[in-house]
Amino acid sequence: MKPARPARFVSFALLLLATGCDDMSKQHKENPYASADSAPAEPVPGTVEYHDAPHPVPRLTMGLLQRGRDEYHAFCAPCHAETGNGDGMVVQRGFPAPLPLMAAGGQTGGPMHLHDVITSGQGIMYGFAQRIGSDDRWAIVAYLYALGRSQHATRADMTPEQLARAP
Ligand code: HEC
């Protein structure tokens, strides 16, 4: 090997050492929470305090289910797909695929688990607490049950009118 190369590499490394190792954590900056006095005790005027306190579960109505369908299509279907199969557009573009939501003939883990996952996220899925209100999160849970049931419906689930029209 020619000696010029290592020499050039060493001088480059020295240059990096001299210029590139500025520790930014040591530079001067304001820390707004440095003293307890400066932490805001009251909400800033013009803003609303955010609490995610336990919230009553809304009544199950057709309107709630329809709201849940719309919210699911807007917020969840991009990844989970309208069917819940987990092959939504974002996944088709490379995001890791979630497991099918309806795997066990309906829902994974029960309504509280579903509400928790929507609220706080799970694994690489982010939570929706800031984007979807508690009632709407319950609406999505209700819709997931309806979606699961629709995919595992039997003749016993059908009304006499539906049965009359069925093949
Ligand atoms: C950006 C893509 C993305 C979006 C948007 C998204 N999810 Fe997910 N979701 C995932 C992925 C990926 C997982 C698997 C997470 C893991 O375990 O790492 C997951 C997991 C879940 C699970 C857990 C299933 C189980 O095994 O318990 C539920 C339930 C769920 N999502 C529901 C929803 C609902 C409802 C919405 C809409 C409010 C939503 N997700 C929005 C990607 C997404």
Side-chain angles (χ1 to χ4, degrees):
M1 205 195 275
K2 280 195 262 171
R5 261 205 192 157
R8 215 182 292 157
F9 174 76
V10 167
S11 49
F12 181 59
L14 283 175
L15 187 73
L16 275 184
L17 270 180
T19 59
C21 295
D22 191 15
D23 186 351
M24 291 177 75
S25 68
K26 293 205 184 99
Q27 70 191 4
H28 176 77
K29 58 181 172 283
E30 282 302 316
N31 178 357
Y33 296 108
S35 79
D37 299 340
S38 58
E42 295 289 322
V44 178
T47 64
V48 177
E49 229 176 326
Y50 174 73
H51 288 296
D52 198 21
H55 197 80
V57 180
R59 247 165 52 82
L60 180 60
T61 60
M62 190 50 123
L64 190 82
L65 281 177
Q66 283 161 349
R67 177 79 185 150
R69 179 195 57 203
D70 293 348
E71 293 285 280
Y72 178 84
H73 285 172
F75 289 106
C76 320
C79 291
H80 289 278
E82 293 193 1
T83 56
N85 282 349
D87 56 354
M89 189 52 75
V90 173
V91 171
Q92 289 174 38
R93 295 284 181 274
F95 196 80
L99 291 174
L101 284 177
M102 303 303 153
Q107 313 65 40
T108 29
M112 270 323 283
H113 171 72
L114 290 174
H115 193 265
D116 282 351
V117 172
I118 301 172
T119 305
S120 315
Q122 177 181 298
I124 56 169
M125 177 188 142
Y126 45 83
F128 287 84
Q130 273 80 2
R131 271 165 282 195
I132 308 178
S134 180
D135 279 7
D136 284 350
R137 278 177 265 151
W138 281 119
I140 293 173
V141 171
Y143 177 67
L144 286 177
Y145 273 80
L147 185 63
R149 187 144 178 214
S150 76
Q151 292 173 0
H152 295 82
T154 65
R155 294 182 85 81
D157 294 310
M158 296 163 86
T159 63
E161 299 82 59
Q162 289 169 331
L163 276 174
R165 279 187 279 120

